[in-house]
Every structure is written in C-alpha cells, then in structure tokens.
C-alpha cells in the first residue's frame, strides 16, 4: 500500500502496516540504541540516540507545533511496548506549562497516547523552566522544583515513567522519589532518546 512519509513527504510502499507514517529511509536516520538504563535503581530503556535527526524532529513537533509528527517516534515499537507494559499506567515527566499552553498539547502525552495506556499527570513543576536552559548545579537541584498532587492513584500500581531526552537523569530521579512516596507496585522507565554531555 502506498502512503506518504510525514517527515520527507515522499510516497513509499508500506509493507509493515497500512498506518505507517514514516518511510524506511527517514526511519533509518534515527539511531536506534535500545540502551538499558538504571536511574536510582529503577530499570528502563532509551530507544534512540539524541542525534541531529531526532533533535530536529522533536523541535518541529514541540517548537514548531507540527502535530502530525506525534506518530513517528514510537511507531515501530508500539506492539512491543504495549505487550511488555500492558498493565502499567504512564506518568509523564512534567514539561513547561507555558509551552504546553502555547502549542495546545503536551508532547509526551501525544507521543505515548498511541500505547492506549492510562496516562496520569500527578507531577508538576512549581515554576516554569526548561531543564536545557539550566547549568549543572541547577539541574542537580531540579527536585526542589517538582511536586506531586496529593490523593492520587499511584498506590500499588505499576508505573511507566516516560520522558523525551535523558541528559543527567536528574528530572527522572526527582520524579521517581515523588512517586515512591505513594508506594507503587513497580516503576519502569522509557526515554525516547539519550543525549551525551
């Protein structure tokens, strides 16, 4: 079946399934690493290397509001992730509220909604900031800027914590520490990409 790539806009033959949104040529520009990570003794995985291609797509989706790109990040891994985490609830690492309001959506919620798992937003930023704009010391103290809503439904649940880019891991650590207060049954992590500082 012929379809059009949402990245390069060229027509291609979709062999895997009729809903493919990215052509093989563009998909190969992702550097799939599927690297195992361990953050505060919580196991997880990073899917891609944070290369120029990934960085550009993420910027187009987040910064230029190209909503159609939401499907290209997880498309090839949907079935695998669905099977592995079928009984989990997703918690997204909080983003800048002003950015979410400006674009009209939370980028992580839209990317991970394809998994059809419950998505919760109990963690929020006490003030608006971008982790990428901070220096090393400020990044290490990010836990001071995150809070969690009281009376949420994390207790005894399996939690899948998701983020877009792993750099220092400090945001994930801050979220993990907040989630642990509510005694989840299990926590796992999926990060779309890993940056090398």
């Amino acid at each position: 079946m012929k379809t059009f790539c949402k990245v390069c806009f060229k027509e291609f033959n979709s062999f895997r399934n009729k809903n493919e949104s990215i052509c093989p040529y563009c998909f190969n520009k992702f550097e799939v690493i599927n690297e195992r990570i361990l953050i505060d003794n919580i196991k997880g995985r990073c899917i891609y290397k944070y290369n120029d291609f990934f960085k550009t797509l993420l910027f187009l989706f987040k910064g230029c509001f190209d909503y159609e790109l939401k499907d290209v990040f997880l498309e090839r891994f949907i079935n695998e992730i669905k099977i592995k985490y079928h009984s989990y609830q997703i918690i997204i690492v909080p983003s800048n509220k002003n950015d979410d309001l400006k674009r009209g959506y939370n980028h992580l919620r839209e990317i991970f909604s394809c998994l059809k798992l419950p998505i919760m937003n109990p963690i929020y930023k006490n003030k608006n900031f971008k982790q990428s704009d901070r220096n090393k010391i400020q990044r290490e103290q990010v836990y001071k800027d995150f809070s969690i809503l009281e009376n949420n439904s994390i207790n005894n649940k399996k939690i899948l914590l998701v983020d877009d880019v792993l750099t220092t891991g400090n945001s994930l650590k801050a979220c993990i520490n907040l989630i642990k207060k509510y005694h989840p049954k299990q926590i796992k992590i999926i990060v779309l990409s890993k940056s090398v500082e």
Side-chain angles (χ1 to χ4, degrees):
M1 176 178 177
K2 287 190 177 292
T3 189
F4 288 91
C5 177
K6 290 186 178 181
V7 177
C8 69
F9 307 111
K10 292 180 181 175
E11 193 175 39
F12 70 99
N13 286 314
S14 177
F15 296 110
R16 300 178 81 244
N17 71 66
K18 61 183 179 180
N19 296 318
E20 274 188 331
S21 62
I22 185 169
C23 70
Y25 176 76
C26 287
F27 180 77
N28 286 334
K29 291 182 181 178
F30 282 117
E31 289 183 60
V32 179
I33 58 174
N34 268 328
E35 184 176 316
R36 291 180 182 173
I37 57 171
L38 192 66
I39 308 283
D40 263 8
N41 293 315
I42 301 296
K43 293 179 182 178
R45 75 188 257 202
C46 289
I47 299 174
Y48 305 110
K49 183 178 176 183
Y50 188 64
N51 63 9
D52 289 339
F53 179 71
F54 184 93
K55 185 177 182 179
T56 299
L57 282 187
L58 193 62
F59 173 72
L60 290 171
F61 180 53
K62 288 173 65 175
C64 298
F65 320 134
D66 189 347
Y67 185 77
E68 285 299 312
L69 291 175
K70 69 181 177 65
D71 299 320
V72 303
F73 298 96
L74 284 180
E75 184 174 83
R76 300 282 173 107
F77 304 97
I78 289 174
N79 291 335
E80 173 197 343
I81 295 171
K82 270 184 178 178
I83 291 167
K84 188 168 184 177
Y85 300 104
H86 70 278
S87 58
Y88 283 70
Q89 295 188 38
I90 293 173
I91 291 182
I92 55 180
V93 172
S95 59
N96 187 302
K97 285 182 184 178
N98 289 339
D99 288 347
D100 286 353
L101 288 170
K102 188 177 179 182
R103 75 172 72 95
Y105 56 88
N106 176 280
H107 67 290
L108 285 172
R109 175 178 281 278
E110 296 306 313
I111 290 171
F112 283 89
S113 65
C114 66
L115 300 176
K116 309 295 185 195
L117 297 174
I119 299 178
M120 300 187 293
N121 287 57
I123 301 171
Y124 62 94
K125 290 182 176 181
N126 300 322
K127 55 186 176 184
N128 276 322
F129 63 89
K130 291 183 181 179
Q131 191 74 329
S132 58
D133 294 338
R134 295 180 146 198
N135 62 38
K136 186 177 179 182
I137 293 170
Q138 290 171 320
R139 286 182 180 203
E140 289 172 354
Q141 296 179 347
V142 70
Y143 65 90
K144 295 178 180 178
D145 302 316
F146 283 2
S147 295
I148 191 164
L149 295 170
E150 299 291 336
N151 302 317
N152 56 68
S153 57
I154 296 172
N155 188 274
N156 208 34
K157 296 288 195 312
K158 291 182 178 179
I159 302 299
L160 182 61
L161 182 62
V162 301
D163 203 359
D164 52 6
V165 182
L166 172 64
T167 306
T168 63
N170 290 318
S171 292
L172 288 166
K173 286 178 189 176
C175 291
I176 288 166
N177 287 329
L178 289 170
I179 292 167
K180 280 181 176 177
K181 292 177 184 177
Y182 290 88
H183 312 291
K185 188 173 185 178
Q186 197 166 34
I187 307 173
K188 297 290 183 183
I189 301 166
I190 290 182
V191 184
L192 293 177
S193 67
K194 181 178 180 182
S195 177
V196 179
E197 280 201 322

